[in-house]
Amino acid sequence: MGKSKTKNQKKSRLNANHVAEEVFGSAPHSFVFHRGQVGKNVGQLVADMRRVMEPFTAESLKVRKKNVLKDFVAMAGPLGVTHFMIFTKTLSSINMRLARLPKGPMLHFRVTKYSLIKDVVSSLKRHRMHDQQFTHHPLLVLNNFGSDGMQVKLMATMFQNMFPSINVHTVALNTIKRCVLLNYDPVSQEIEFRHYSLKVVPVGMSRGVKKLMQEKFPNMSKFEDISELLMKGANLSESEAEQDGDHNITELPQIYSGRGNMASQQSAVRLTEIGPRLTMQLVKIEEGMGEGNVLYHAVIAKTEEELQEILIRKEAQMKEKQERKRKQEQNIAEKNALREENKKRSLAGMKRKRPEEEEVDPEVEDPGNQDNRPPVVESDDEAEYYRQAVGEEPDEDMFPEVKRRQRPERSSEVPFKKRKPFPGDKTKNLYGSKSSRETGPGGRPAGKTSVNGGKSFGKRSAGGKKFEKEDKRFGGRKFGSGSTSGGPGSSKFKGKPHSGGFKKGPGGGSRQGFKQKMRKS
C-alpha cells in the first residue's frame, strides 16, 4: 500500500503548478497557418514550422477556406496568441508574413529557397531528432543583425519576441535541446533560417573511453583485456570520434543530461541540423494588421510629396468614415427615441381606457336607444337590419339584390308528421304500392322477373342501356329489376327487386300518378 501524500508534498506540487502556469502564460504564443491554395509542399512546410515553434503554438490548428484574417485575430485574444506566421503562394513566389498582435506591425518576406525536415534528415548520415526535444522551446541565436537600418532592428526585435526570453543566470541547461539560428547577410539582404538539435559530450578522454560512455556498449569479444580498448582503441574508426576544438568546447556550469557531462567539466557542444531550412528576403513593413501605412519597401521608393499625398488621402477617407459612423449613430438614437415615445403614448392610452371601461354602469340607459326601441342586433340581412334600425319597412327598390322568401320557414319547434303505414304490410312503399308477401330468394317475388304495372327494368331501353338491380335507396325504399344480379348488362342499380312498380294513379299514366302521390305526401 502506497504512502499518502504529506502537506509539504501537496504544497510543493501546487507551487510548481502555479509557477508553470505563470511561465506558460507569460511566454509568447503563435499561430502558423496558410491562406489560399498553397500546394502539398508548402503545406508540409507549414507543418514543419509548427514543429519548430513548439510547444507554444497550435499544433492542430484547422483552417477553412471561408476563414478570413479577422477570424484568427478574434480568436487570438482569448487564447493569448501574440504572433502570426502566415504562408501564401503566388505564381511567381512563396511569401511569408510575420505579424505582431493586436496592432502590428506586419513584416512581408519572400521565400527564395526552402527545404523540408524530411529532405534535411535524408541527407544526413546520422540524425538526432526525438520527441523529448520538442517539450521545451528552442534557443534563439541572431547573427549580423547589428547593422544600421530601421528595418534590420525591427526584424531582430520581431524574431526575439517570437520566442521566450532566457535568463542566463537561472536557466536550466537540461531544458535547452534545440537551437534556431537566424543569419543576416547585409550584402544580399537575405536571412538564413536554420534549426539544429543540440548535444553535449565530454572531452579529454580517449576514443575507447568515449565508446564506453555511450549508451551502446562496444563488442569486446576479440579483446583479451579491457586495457586494449582503453589504450589502443582497437576496432574503432576515425569517423566515430568527431573533431572537437576551441570553437565548441566549454565548461558546463550545471550537470547536463548524458553520460560524463558533469559540472565544472569541459564538454563539447555539437549541433545536428534537423530542418527545415529557409532563405528569405524582406520586402516591406506595414503598420497594423496589413491595413496601415507602409513603413519600408525594398523595391518601391516614394518621394516626400507622394507620401504626403497618400497621407492626406487616407486622412480624408478616415474623416468620411467617421462622419458616416456619426450619422448612423444619430439615426439609431432618433429611432430609439421615437420608439420610446410611441411606447409611452400607447401605455398612457391603455391606462385612460381602463378606468372608462370600469366606470360604465349597466343600468344607465343608452342615450342612443330612444323611443323604447329594441336594441339593434347585427344581421347579415340588410333589409332586416334596416327594419331594426329605422323601425319601418324598406322600399321594394331599396334592396334589389335581396330576395324575399316565398313562404315562411318551417319552425324547428314543430315536429314532422308521421305517416300512417298501409294496412296489412310492414314494408311500406313511399309511392303507395304494397310489396308482395311471398318473395323468393334475394328478396324477389316468387315466380316474377319484372315489375308489375310499369316499364320493365332489366331489359335494354331505347338508348341501349340496361338497368340492373342495385343496393340503393330512392326516397327511403328499394327498387330494382327482376333480372339476375351480376349478369351481363348489369348496371349500378343492383339490389333486391320490389314486387310493385310505379302504380298508376287517377291521371292514367305512371308518371302522373307519381306526381300526384308526391303532392299528397
Side-chain angles (χ1 to χ4, degrees), residues 286-305:
E286 286 183 327
E287 289 182 347
M289 297 301 294
E291 298 177 353
N293 298 328
V294 178
L295 301 178
Y296 169 80
H297 204 290
V299 180
I300 302 173
K302 294 185 178 181
T303 61
E304 190 68 24
E305 291 79 8

Side-chain angles (χ1 to χ4, degrees), residues 58 80 149 182 196 208 238 252 255 331 336 364 381 397 417 456 468 515:
L182 289 170
Y196 296 98
E238 293 293 335
L252 294 177
I255 298 176
N331 294 337
N336 292 335
V364 177
D381 191 358
D397 57 345
K417 204 172 185 181
S456 176
E468 295 291 341
K515 290 182 178 180

Side-chain angles (χ1 to χ4, degrees), residues 221-289:
S221 61
K222 297 181 179 181
F223 298 153
E224 295 180 358
D225 191 1
I226 193 174
S227 61
E228 296 182 8
L229 176 65
L230 299 178
M231 300 302 295
K232 297 180 181 179
N235 297 331
L236 294 177
S237 61
E238 293 293 335
S239 61
E240 291 182 356
E242 296 186 13
Q243 299 297 325
D244 297 324
D246 296 337
H247 61 282
N248 65 335
I249 295 178
T250 183
E251 184 177 339
L252 294 177
Q254 301 175 9
I255 298 176
Y256 195 82
S257 61
R259 295 182 180 180
N261 296 321
M262 304 300 293
S264 302
Q265 298 292 331
Q266 288 188 346
S267 298
V269 180
R270 297 174 182 174
L271 301 178
T272 304
E273 189 175 4
I274 57 178
R277 296 179 183 176
L278 286 176
T279 302
M280 50 191 178
Q281 186 177 7
L282 180 65
V283 177
K284 67 177 179 178
I285 302 174
E286 286 183 327
E287 289 182 347
M289 297 301 294

Side-chain angles (χ1 to χ4, degrees), residues 371-484:
D371 301 334
N372 295 327
R373 296 176 184 174
V376 179
V377 181
E378 295 184 0
S379 175
D380 295 337
D381 191 358
E382 295 181 357
E384 186 66 24
Y385 179 82
Y386 184 85
R387 292 191 195 93
Q388 294 180 5
V390 180
E392 298 178 358
E393 288 292 329
D395 297 336
E396 295 180 358
D397 57 345
M398 184 175 293
F399 304 105
E401 65 278 347
V402 179
K403 296 182 179 180
R404 297 185 179 181
R405 298 179 179 178
Q406 299 294 335
R407 56 183 179 180
E409 295 181 355
R410 183 185 296 271
S411 176
S412 59
E413 298 177 358
V414 180
F416 287 97
K417 204 172 185 181
K418 293 184 179 180
R419 295 187 179 277
K420 295 181 180 180
F422 283 84
D425 194 358
K426 294 181 180 180
T427 59
K428 179 70 176 61
N429 194 336
L430 180 62
Y431 313 114
S433 62
K434 298 179 182 179
S435 60
S436 176
R437 295 181 181 178
E438 297 179 0
T439 57
R444 296 188 299 272
K448 294 184 180 181
T449 58
S450 62
V451 180
N452 189 14
K455 293 186 178 180
S456 176
F457 288 85
K459 296 180 181 180
R460 293 189 180 273
S461 61
K465 293 184 180 180
K466 186 175 181 180
F467 295 89
E468 295 291 341
K469 61 181 179 179
E470 178 72 18
D471 190 8
K472 295 285 185 179
R473 292 182 178 272
F474 185 81
R477 300 298 178 185
K478 297 181 181 178
F479 72 96
S481 64
S483 60
T484 306

Side-chain angles (χ1 to χ4, degrees), residues 153-167:
K153 295 179 180 179
L154 187 57
M155 282 192 297
T157 305
M158 178 69 74
F159 289 132
Q160 286 177 353
N161 294 332
M162 288 181 64
F163 298 92
S165 60
I166 294 176
N167 189 352

